[in-house]
Amino acid sequence: MTARRTRRMTAAKTRKTLNSRIAAVGAIAVAGSMLLTGCGDQTDSNEGTPAKETGSAAAPGNELNELLPQAIRDKGVVKVGSDIAYPPVEFKDDSGKTVGLDPDIAAALGKELGVKFEFENGTFDTLITGLRSKRYDIAMSAMSDTKDRQNGVDSETGKKVGEGVDFVDYFTAGVSIYTKKGDDKGIKNWSDLCGKKIVVQRGTVSEDLAKAQSKKCGSKGKITIEAFGNDLEAQTRLRAGGADAGSADFPVAAYAVETSGGGKDFQIVGDQVEAAPYGIAVAKDNAQLRDALKAALDEIIKNGEYKKIIDKWGVAAGAVTEAKVNGGS
């Protein structure tokens, strides 16, 4: 998720690649008995759910633990702000436990750093504000690393709105359009949305892409954009026939296509666009934490834990080979 309007476009994906990635996500959905389309309670903002699932944290005093700020070493916890309603990246399973790609990566980082990562639920468009106010130590929520976010610039107005954040990049994803299954309304790409209605999650690249495309529509008619607090609400609206299409990050759209209504509700149309890195957001004045996270991420990539997690969630196409700081454009 992101608020960046102009990033590089991905190379076109073949239908074979799309189908194989969706199938991989589907296999996980069956094997792991996950929540259908997934949803976190957006009002449950005070919940702290440890991302760590198995094993024990490395003993304090190890090399990576010593890289952390003393305050975090003392409390043994990294507080994570996250919109826990974005399967398969982060969501709640049937028992109410926070699961997904991000919690698993966070747990692996915690093992290396000798601390626990505790996820706290919040709406996506407030996470950076929560980071600035010290409510969270980091924000980890399928958040795309962009220059605007790094510099604290509102992507729509171009105005400076804050000091910005740093990112430790850990994954790459593009954006997809999806429609009701068997009823694509002639939509194959973003220009086909002119004169139609799309549902999106507020504050995401999907919303900004729709706004940018709408300005180009001319005589075809503007795009009607309905933005929601979370992606599940957007899916519900489309499922009920209240829009022509929806848009989300590719892993999320693929998961919805495979799981919603047993795979009978939605279909992806066209190719994913706007490939960009997901980053763990850290306050600009917390470079020590940023660098410790980078070192831990490089370690789990090196020791193979990262690959195990990526493969578990069926998103190998988005894997990175090294941790980068502020690699977004």
Side-chain angles (χ1 to χ4, degrees):
M1 291 180 277
T2 180
R4 177 74 173 180
R5 187 177 295 115
T6 53
R7 297 184 300 206
R8 65 187 181 280
M9 305 292 284
T10 63
K13 307 293 184 183
T14 64
R15 179 57 55 190
K16 179 178 179 181
T17 301
L18 178 61
N19 289 341
S20 65
R21 290 177 69 184
I22 294 175
V25 178
I28 292 160
V30 173
S33 62
M34 295 176 183
L35 179 65
L36 185 65
T37 72
C39 179
D41 180 359
Q42 293 297 320
T43 64
D44 187 17
S45 60
N46 293 321
E47 179 187 3
T49 304
K52 190 172 180 55
E53 295 181 21
T54 59
S56 58
N62 68 48
E63 183 177 348
L64 291 183
N65 179 268
E66 293 173 0
L67 296 178
L68 289 167
Q70 188 63 49
I72 289 179
R73 293 177 64 191
D74 289 344
K75 66 183 180 181
V77 172
V78 175
K79 294 179 66 177
V80 185
S82 186
D83 181 357
I84 309 173
Y86 212 59
V89 187
E90 56 264 313
F91 64 106
K92 303 239 180 154
D93 65 12
D94 290 317
S95 69
K97 183 179 181 180
T98 299
V99 297
L101 175 67
D102 281 358
D104 279 359
I105 289 177
L109 295 176
K111 185 176 181 180
E112 296 300 327
L113 291 166
V115 294
K116 290 183 179 180
F117 282 60
E118 293 184 353
F119 278 68
E120 184 174 333
N121 200 12
T123 54
F124 181 75
D125 56 355
T126 66
L127 295 181
I128 288 182
T129 301
L131 189 64
R132 289 199 297 261
S133 68
K134 309 300 183 182
R135 178 176 180 176
Y136 315 124
D137 296 312
I138 65 174
M140 189 174 186
S141 190
M143 184 178 290
S144 294
D145 172 3
T146 70
K147 290 297 183 186
D148 283 346
R149 283 203 175 110
Q150 293 170 25
N151 297 324
V153 172
D154 184 294
S155 62
E156 187 169 358
T157 66
K159 294 181 179 180
K160 183 84 170 176
V161 293
E163 65 271 26
V165 296
D166 286 333
F167 287 97
V168 179
D169 300 337
Y170 64 96
F171 188 72
T172 300
V175 177
S176 292
I177 300 170
Y178 61 97
T179 67
K180 293 186 72 173
K181 193 162 188 177
D183 187 18
D184 64 16
K185 307 289 186 182
I187 299 168
K188 303 299 181 185
N189 53 52
W190 284 89
S191 63
D192 292 333
L193 290 166
C194 293
K196 295 181 172 64
K197 182 176 181 179
I198 189 170
V199 288
V200 296
Q201 181 173 359
R202 188 167 50 250
T204 64
V205 69
S206 295
E207 182 180 22
D208 288 315
L209 281 171
K211 289 178 179 178
Q213 181 60 53
S214 187
K215 293 177 181 179
K216 304 174 185 177
C217 285
S219 61
K220 294 181 180 179
K222 299 288 187 180
I223 300 172
T224 300
I225 305 165
E226 188 171 7
F228 294 87
N230 65 65
D231 197 67
L232 176 63
E233 294 173 346
Q235 291 177 26
T236 299
R237 183 69 162 167
L238 178 59
R239 191 183 300 111
D244 300 301
S247 177
D249 289 1
F250 176 81
V252 177
Y255 186 88
V257 165
E258 184 63 31
T259 61
S260 182
K264 297 179 181 179
D265 287 344
F266 304 127
Q267 63 186 18
I268 287 180
V269 295
D271 301 315
Q272 60 173 312
V273 300
E274 296 287 296
Y278 284 173
I280 302 170
V282 186
K284 286 285 188 183
D285 62 359
N286 207 349
Q288 187 176 355
L289 176 57
R290 177 200 67 198
D291 293 344
L293 292 169
K294 180 183 183 302
L297 180 57
D298 275 329
E299 181 60 30
I300 66 171
I301 291 172
K302 179 181 177 181
N303 67 24
E305 286 302 309
Y306 175 83
K307 184 179 186 303
K308 291 178 183 178
I309 295 167
I310 293 292
D311 289 345
K312 169 184 174 181
W313 293 104
V315 291
V320 299
T321 56
E322 63 177 331
K324 291 185 179 180
V325 172
N326 296 333
S329 59

